[in-house]
């Protein structure tokens, strides 16, 4: 039985289904072919119309070489079909497990620091980047199985340290859509709830943060699958992240990410605009 005190580091899908070795081998092949032709990573990136950071990550085995890249790189590297023959296997591997947790994503806080944009939808609790210390402590204290006091304090400290990304310069852009119930649920009690609502009002006033609320009485909803986060990496790649019952999923498949983006866009149109959303938070704060 897993010890609930331990910080979980779920096994990645490539490790589970064995495809990590395939992707690592392809990365090494690409590097060997590139070096044989005397090309730099930037030159290969330009030739295949992909980012240099992506090429570097693939060669190091921390990113998945997508079929489009293999198809484009084969003639450029003079591989004579060596990369092309791997395309069907790569497609099968991606179909078996569309969600990936490459090593560069295992530390989520590190990825948050680098993301150019973060958009989040919440139907349960306030996102960690906007939580107060007391609110975060209440969440971890109430968690089951129970955590020790030492573990609770560590997780609270870790969560609060992530919030430094909101102050960095140049700033990233953040968008948050909350279900109204998230704002009305008094997690931690009246005083903690008041403080958390005031924190949201402060965050919503920041130039790089947008808060929106979907009212409970809204009769339409495109997403009944739970909370999610959309992130734009420094290389402009967009990914989605979900976590259900402690099981994280990093979604990189373009089709699935596009579908989640579409849901988020619809929710933006259904939610109150930022100013009315802030006004609703103020009303809830006054009612309490």
């Amino acid at each position: 039985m897993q010890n609930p005190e331990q910080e979980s580091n779920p096994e990645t899908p490539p490790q589970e289904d064995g495809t990590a070795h395939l992707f690592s081998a392809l990365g090494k092949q690409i590097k060997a072919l590139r070096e044989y032709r005397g090309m730099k990573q930037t030159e290969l990136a330009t030739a295949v119309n992909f980012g240099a950071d992506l090429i570097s990550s693939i060669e190091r085995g921390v990113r998945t070489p997508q079929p489009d890249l293999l198809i484009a790189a084969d003639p450029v590297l003079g591989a004579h079909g060596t990369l092309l023959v791997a395309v069907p296997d790569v497609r099968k591997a991606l179909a078996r497990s569309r969600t990936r947790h490459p090593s560069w994503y295992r530390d989520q806080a590190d990825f948050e620091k680098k993301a150019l944009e973060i958009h989040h939808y919440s139907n349960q609790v306030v996102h960690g980047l906007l939580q107060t210390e007391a609110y975060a402590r209440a969440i971890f204290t109430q968690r089951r199985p129970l955590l020790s006091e030492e573990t609770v304090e560590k997780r609270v400290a870790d969560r609060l340290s992530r919030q430094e990304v909101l102050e960095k310069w140049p700033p990233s852009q953040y968008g948050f859509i909350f279900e109204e119930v998230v704002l009305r649920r008094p997690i931690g009690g009246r005083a903690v709830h008041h403080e958390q609502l005031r924190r949201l009002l402060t965050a919503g006033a920041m130039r790089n943060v947008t808060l929106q609320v979907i009212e409970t009485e809204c009769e339409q909803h495109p997403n009944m699958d739970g909370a999610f986060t959309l992130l734009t990496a420094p290389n402009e790649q967009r990914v989605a992240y979900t976590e259900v019952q402690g099981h994280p999923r990093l979604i990189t498949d373009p089709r699935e990410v596009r579908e989640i983006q579409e849901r988020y866009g619809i929710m933006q149109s259904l939610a109150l605009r930022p100013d009315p959303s802030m006004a609703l938070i103020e009303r809830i704060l006054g009612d309490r």
Side-chain angles (χ1 to χ4, degrees):
M1 180 178 295
Q2 183 179 1
N3 183 354
E5 297 296 319
Q6 294 178 346
E7 295 290 339
S8 61
N9 186 13
E11 191 173 31
T12 69
Q15 290 171 332
E16 293 172 351
D17 60 25
T19 56
H21 298 297
L22 167 63
F23 298 142
S24 177
L26 285 171
K28 292 177 181 178
Q29 283 184 318
I30 291 173
K31 180 179 181 180
L33 289 167
R34 175 182 59 78
E35 291 181 341
Y36 179 78
R37 295 184 67 85
M39 297 181 69
K40 297 180 180 179
Q41 289 180 340
T42 53
E43 293 173 332
L44 174 58
T46 299
V48 297
N49 199 28
F50 283 85
D53 289 342
L54 177 63
I55 300 299
S56 174
S57 297
I58 288 173
E59 290 186 353
R60 288 182 287 115
V62 298
R63 293 286 295 277
T64 301
Q66 297 292 320
D68 288 348
L69 185 141
L70 297 176
I71 293 171
D74 191 272
V76 171
L77 294 174
H80 302 291
T82 302
L83 299 179
L84 293 179
V85 296
V87 169
D89 291 324
V90 169
R91 285 179 172 150
K92 289 179 182 178
L94 292 175
R96 285 198 304 269
S97 182
R98 290 189 178 277
T99 58
R100 300 289 166 190
H101 295 277
S103 59
W104 56 268
Y105 193 77
R106 290 172 191 165
D107 186 348
Q108 184 185 357
D110 182 60
F111 188 77
E112 281 182 338
K113 292 178 182 178
K114 299 176 182 178
L116 300 178
E117 296 181 1
I118 295 179
H119 293 89
H120 178 76
Y121 162 71
S122 178
N123 61 348
Q124 292 289 343
V125 297
V126 172
H127 190 275
L129 291 180
L130 301 180
Q131 290 178 8
T132 65
E133 180 177 350
Y135 187 93
R137 182 172 289 106
I139 290 175
F140 289 125
T141 300
Q142 296 169 9
R143 181 173 178 173
R144 295 296 188 275
L146 291 172
L147 302 174
S148 70
E149 292 297 327
E150 180 182 2
T151 301
V152 169
E153 293 307 312
K154 179 182 183 304
R155 296 193 182 185
V156 170
D158 290 344
R159 178 154 296 181
L160 295 179
S161 69
R162 290 165 47 197
Q163 298 179 3
E164 296 177 358
V165 299
L166 295 173
E167 306 293 341
K168 72 178 182 180
W169 190 267
S172 296
Q173 297 299 311
Y174 301 90
F176 300 91
I177 297 178
F178 298 108
E179 293 290 342
E180 183 178 345
V181 66
V182 173
L183 306 175
R184 294 190 179 277
R185 181 174 293 123
I187 291 177
R190 182 183 180 90
V192 172
H193 187 218
H194 276 200
E195 183 185 26
Q196 182 59 65
L197 291 178
R198 287 192 290 269
R199 165 60 177 155
L200 292 178
L201 291 174
T202 300
M206 299 174 65
R207 290 187 296 165
N208 61 321
V209 176
T210 300
L211 301 185
Q212 289 185 261
V213 180
I214 297 180
E215 295 180 288
T216 302
E217 64 182 20
C218 182
E219 297 180 355
Q220 304 177 51
H221 209 298
N223 179 66
M224 295 296 179
D225 296 336
F228 62 80
T229 303
L230 289 164
L231 306 100
T232 303
N235 64 357
E236 304 291 343
Q237 180 191 17
R238 292 182 176 177
V239 301
Y241 177 78
T242 65
E243 187 171 339
V244 179
Q245 297 297 323
H247 294 282
R249 299 179 63 222
L250 180 68
I251 303 167
T252 60
D253 176 69
R255 177 190 58 79
E256 193 170 356
V257 173
R258 185 172 61 253
E259 290 174 352
I260 295 175
Q261 284 182 298
E262 181 181 3
R263 294 176 200 163
Y264 190 85
I266 295 173
M267 286 189 288
Q268 281 183 306
S269 67
L270 294 174
L272 296 174
R273 304 309 300 164
D275 286 347
S277 294
M278 296 283 279
L280 176 58
I281 296 174
E282 292 176 340
R283 289 199 301 273
I284 296 174
L285 181 57
D287 291 343
R288 298 288 175 173

